[in-house]
């Protein structure tokens, strides 16, 4: 422990893996989270946190890699929410109807896992709930970084039509924007981000990584593209701050440190007064950054 504390964190392999994966995951969550906030779909992110836990536990019960359960469950459920909603927008009533059932199913799976597989890793459930970013392997870090980078790139590519469909869905559809397809695509990206974030901060806290940076960015600027970039930047900086804090104070879990910084940043935005602006009119197609 003394060696770890005196050495530079970036010289430690476990920290390098966490830094690589955490940076990419945070950036993707910041981008996806901004549209979750803008589209009033934060409740969807909350539901996906429960789905992530249930999917991981189901995979462990079946003897599969928990990441397979994470991604399969979150993506499938996100698309199901869209299918049951209007124009691929999840309905809060639909989400609320399956919310408790999903969590109960997760409890059932963890009971099966701990009773029928007593010789396996009994801490797996805790890792899913609270994250294990410092436990990511070298290969896992590369895969997580590539997946998160892909998610971020796709969000940037669809940002303009998705923003159009978000601000004025009817006009966007009339102008030929594939509103429903965009909705499904975005929900799939949200599902992937939820699965990725679970590995970093856990299913209980992933909503904070999706919502807090985006909420702060939305309060700091009302220019959509600037807010999108700011949300990603804040998420990455908060991830870095949390990782370095946890390394410096080993008793502080990294997920707790990350969420503490994210919450503090969001709270600080209430102390910042933006200059009052005159009435603004949303154009059909956003043109400013």
């Amino acid at each position: 422990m003394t060696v770890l504390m005196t050495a530079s964190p970036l010289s430690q392999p476990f920290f390098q893996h966490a830094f690589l994966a955490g940076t990419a995951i945070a950036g993707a969550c910041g981008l996806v989270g901004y549209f979750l906030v803008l589209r009033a779909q934060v409740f969807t992110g909350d539901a996906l946190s429960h789905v992530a836990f249930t999917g991981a536990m189901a995979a462990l019960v079946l003897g599969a890699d928990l990441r397979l359960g994470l991604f399969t469950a979150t993506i499938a459920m996100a698309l199901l929410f869209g299918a049951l909603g209007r124009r691929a927008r999840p309905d809060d009533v639909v989400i609320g109807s399956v919310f408790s059932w999903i969590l109960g199913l997760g409890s059932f799976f963890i009971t099966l896992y701990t009773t029928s597989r007593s010789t396996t890793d009994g801490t797996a459930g805790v890792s899913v709930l609270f994250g294990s970013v410092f436990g990511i392997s070298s290969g896992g870090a590369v895969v997580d970084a590539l997946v998160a980078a892909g998610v971020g790139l796709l969000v940037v590519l669809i940002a303009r039509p998705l923003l159009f469909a978000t601000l004025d869905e009817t006009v966007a559809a009339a102008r030929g924007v594939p509103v429903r397809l965009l909705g499904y695509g975005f929900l799939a990206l949200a599902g992937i981000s939820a699965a990725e974030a679970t590995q970093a901060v856990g299913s209980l806290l992933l909503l904070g990584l999706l919502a807090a940076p985006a909420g702060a960015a939305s309060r700091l600027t009302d220019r959509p593209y600037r807010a999108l970039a700011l949300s990603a930047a804040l998420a990455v900086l908060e991830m870095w701050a949390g990782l370095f804090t946890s390394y410096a104070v080993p008793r502080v879990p990294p997920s707790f440190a990350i969420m503490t910084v994210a919450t503090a940043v969001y709270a600080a935005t209430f102390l910042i007064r933006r200059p009052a602006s005159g009435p603004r009119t949303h154009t059909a197609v956003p043109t400013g950054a």
Side-chain angles (χ1 to χ4, degrees), residues 69-90:
L70 276 175
F71 284 97
T72 301
T74 52
I75 296 172
M77 190 58 68
L79 293 176
L80 177 61
F81 285 155
L84 296 177
R86 184 178 64 87
R87 286 189 175 177
R89 287 212 184 197

Side-chain angles (χ1 to χ4, degrees), residues 150-208:
V151 169
L153 178 61
L154 288 174
V155 173
V156 171
L157 290 176
I158 68 171
R160 184 179 178 82
L162 184 60
L163 181 61
F164 188 8
T166 299
L167 296 180
D168 202 330
E169 186 177 90
T170 303
V171 175
R175 292 198 176 184
V177 176
V179 172
R180 191 173 184 85
L181 182 60
L182 275 175
Y184 279 123
F186 173 69
L187 286 173
L189 294 176
I192 296 172
S193 298
E196 290 263 271
T198 298
Q199 300 177 75
V201 297
S203 63
L204 288 180
L205 301 177
L206 74 84
L207 179 62

Side-chain angles (χ1 to χ4, degrees), residues 27-261:
C29 285
L31 294 172
V32 171
Y34 174 70
F35 280 107
L36 283 176
V37 170
L38 192 65
R39 293 167 67 85
Q41 294 180 353
V42 174
F43 191 32
T44 302
D46 191 19
L48 289 176
S49 67
H50 294 75
V51 173
F53 170 72
T54 300
M57 289 299 99
L60 291 175
V61 167
L62 296 173
D65 189 315
L66 67 84
R67 287 176 296 184
L68 177 63
L70 276 175
F71 284 97
T72 301
T74 52
I75 296 172
M77 190 58 68
L79 293 176
L80 177 61
F81 285 155
L84 296 177
R86 184 178 64 87
R87 286 189 175 177
R89 287 212 184 197
D91 186 281
D92 286 350
V93 175
V94 171
I95 296 173
S97 298
V98 299
F99 198 97
S100 299
W101 176 73
I102 288 294
L103 186 58
L105 194 59
S107 177
F108 171 70
F109 282 133
I110 196 173
T111 300
L112 283 181
Y113 177 68
T114 55
T115 55
S116 64
R117 295 180 174 271
S118 57
T119 59
T120 57
D121 182 11
T123 64
V126 176
S127 297
V128 173
L129 286 172
F130 299 103
S132 56
V133 67
F134 281 155
I136 297 177
S137 65
S138 175
V142 172
V143 171
D144 288 341
L146 290 175
V147 171
V151 169
L153 178 61
L154 288 174
V155 173
V156 171
L157 290 176
I158 68 171
R160 184 179 178 82
L162 184 60
L163 181 61
F164 188 8
T166 299
L167 296 180
D168 202 330
E169 186 177 90
T170 303
V171 175
R175 292 198 176 184
V177 176
V179 172
R180 191 173 184 85
L181 182 60
L182 275 175
Y184 279 123
F186 173 69
L187 286 173
L189 294 176
I192 296 172
S193 298
E196 290 263 271
T198 298
Q199 300 177 75
V201 297
S203 63
L204 288 180
L205 301 177
L206 74 84
L207 179 62
L209 194 58
L210 286 168
S218 297
R219 290 188 57 82
L220 292 174
T221 178
D222 55 4
R223 300 180 70 87
Y225 297 127
R226 184 177 297 174
L228 181 65
L230 182 58
S231 177
L234 286 175
V236 170
L237 291 175
E238 289 159 4
M239 174 65 72
W240 290 351
L243 292 178
F244 280 101
T245 298
S246 183
Y247 180 87
V249 187
R251 291 187 178 182
V252 177
S255 54
F256 171 77
I258 295 165
M259 286 301 95
T260 298
V261 175

